[in-house]
Amino acid sequence: NAGVTQTPKFRVLKTGQSMTLLCAQDMNHEYMYWYRQDPGMGLRLIHYSVGEGTTAKGEVPDGYNVSRLKKQNFLLGLESAAPSQTSVYFCASSNNGYEQYFGPGTRLTVT
Amino acid sequence: EDQVTQSPEALRLQEGESSSLNCSYTVSGLRGLFWYRQDPGKGPEFLFTLYSAGEEKEKERLKATLTKKESFLHITAPKPEDSATYLCAVQAGGGSQGNLIFGKGTKLSVKP
């Protein structure tokens, strides 16, 4: 099992550009999450999903959108990137809403 | 407001020198407390879940304990490969499903 995978690993965007981050899990987990990690801030929840076709806002949702069309995939979109969205993004999944298993991360720089 | 505070921010140990990391929390109805290990450039790796005061979990040189206000991660006779950032997170009752509140972590360095 690959566990949780994220694509791409690195990306550089210019202000105003858009992109989509892909998260895939092969553990048949119901719950999926998107976090961002910034120095001195810890991990903060952006959006999450409790099942296929559902999404909900987390602590810092502004400027991001998500979709969960298939159970194994969770997409995070940035419609108009801003320098404040420079961060490391982590996807996680859980089968019971308790223990979460994280992917390797995507390092995004917005110039 | 639900909050998690970890101390110290950084800890430097000699190989074999045992110590403890602290995670104090204020949360309305604790559903679970989680410890993760994070190596540089990688995602957090799940270590333990603790659900109620008095509970303890062990894995190799690590032992996690839980009280009503805090959790400790005890490291016995650490080795250089234990060097990493250790993250604590709590899940509050009554909130959204599975949402974790993370502390900022303790960066542990173990010198040979």
Side-chain angles (χ1 to χ4, degrees):
Chain A
N1 287 351
V4 179
T5 57
Q6 294 183 231
T7 309
K9 288 184 169 53
F10 302 93
R11 185 73 186 267
V12 178
L13 288 180
K14 293 185 178 179
T15 298
Q17 288 185 321
S18 64
M19 77 164 294
T20 300
L21 282 66
L22 171 64
C23 175
Q25 53 95 3
D26 62 2
M27 298 175 282
N28 201 34
H29 285 174
E30 288 293 335
Y31 303 83
M32 296 188 75
Y33 311 85
W34 275 108
Y35 292 88
R36 60 178 290 172
Q37 186 174 41
D38 303 291
M41 296 294 293
L43 282 155
R44 291 180 293 168
L45 183 66
I46 305 172
H47 286 281
Y48 65 98
S49 169
V50 299
E52 182 179 315
T54 73
T55 63
K57 294 180 180 180
E59 179 187 355
V60 289
D62 293 342
Y64 305 95
N65 57 76
V66 288
S67 64
R68 182 104 182 264
L69 299 179
K70 293 183 178 181
K71 186 177 183 179
Q72 64 267 32
N73 295 338
F74 196 28
L75 279 63
L76 178 71
L78 286 73
E79 291 185 346
S80 178
S84 60
Q85 294 177 305
T86 293
S87 188
V88 182
Y89 291 86
F90 289 102
C91 176
S93 71
S94 173
N95 67 334
N96 58 9
Y98 286 92
E99 294 87 3
Q100 296 184 15
Y101 296 89
F102 285 78
T106 294
R107 186 173 296 274
L108 174 66
T109 302
V110 183
T111 61
Chain B
E1 181 183 351
D2 299 334
Q3 197 168 3
V4 177
T5 303
Q6 291 188 246
S7 62
E9 290 184 15
L11 181 62
R12 303 179 97 179
L13 298 174
Q14 288 296 124
E15 184 172 1
E17 179 187 2
S18 301
S19 187
S20 296
L21 313 183
N22 178 263
C23 172
S24 62
Y25 62 90
T26 53
V27 65
S28 52
L30 180 71
R31 292 181 67 197
L33 185 140
F34 306 84
W35 282 99
Y36 286 84
R37 170 190 170 127
Q38 187 173 23
D39 292 300
K42 296 191 175 181
E45 175 189 347
F46 171 75
L47 293 174
F48 303 110
T49 306
L50 301 167
Y51 293 105
S52 57
E55 191 174 359
E56 299 182 351
K57 294 272 180 75
E58 284 189 71
K59 180 180 179 180
E60 296 181 356
R61 294 176 292 282
L62 301 177
K63 179 180 177 180
T65 62
L66 181 64
T67 72
K68 289 186 178 180
K69 294 183 178 180
E70 57 192 349
S71 175
F72 292 94
L73 185 65
H74 307 279
I75 303 176
T76 302
K79 298 181 177 182
E81 52 261 44
D82 294 321
S83 297
T85 296
Y86 290 85
L87 304 175
C88 171
V90 298
Q91 188 176 62
S96 304
Q97 280 289 337
N99 289 1
L100 297 183
I101 302 163
F102 280 86
K104 296 179 181 180
T106 293
K107 185 175 181 180
L108 174 66
S109 299
V110 182
K111 303 298 182 185

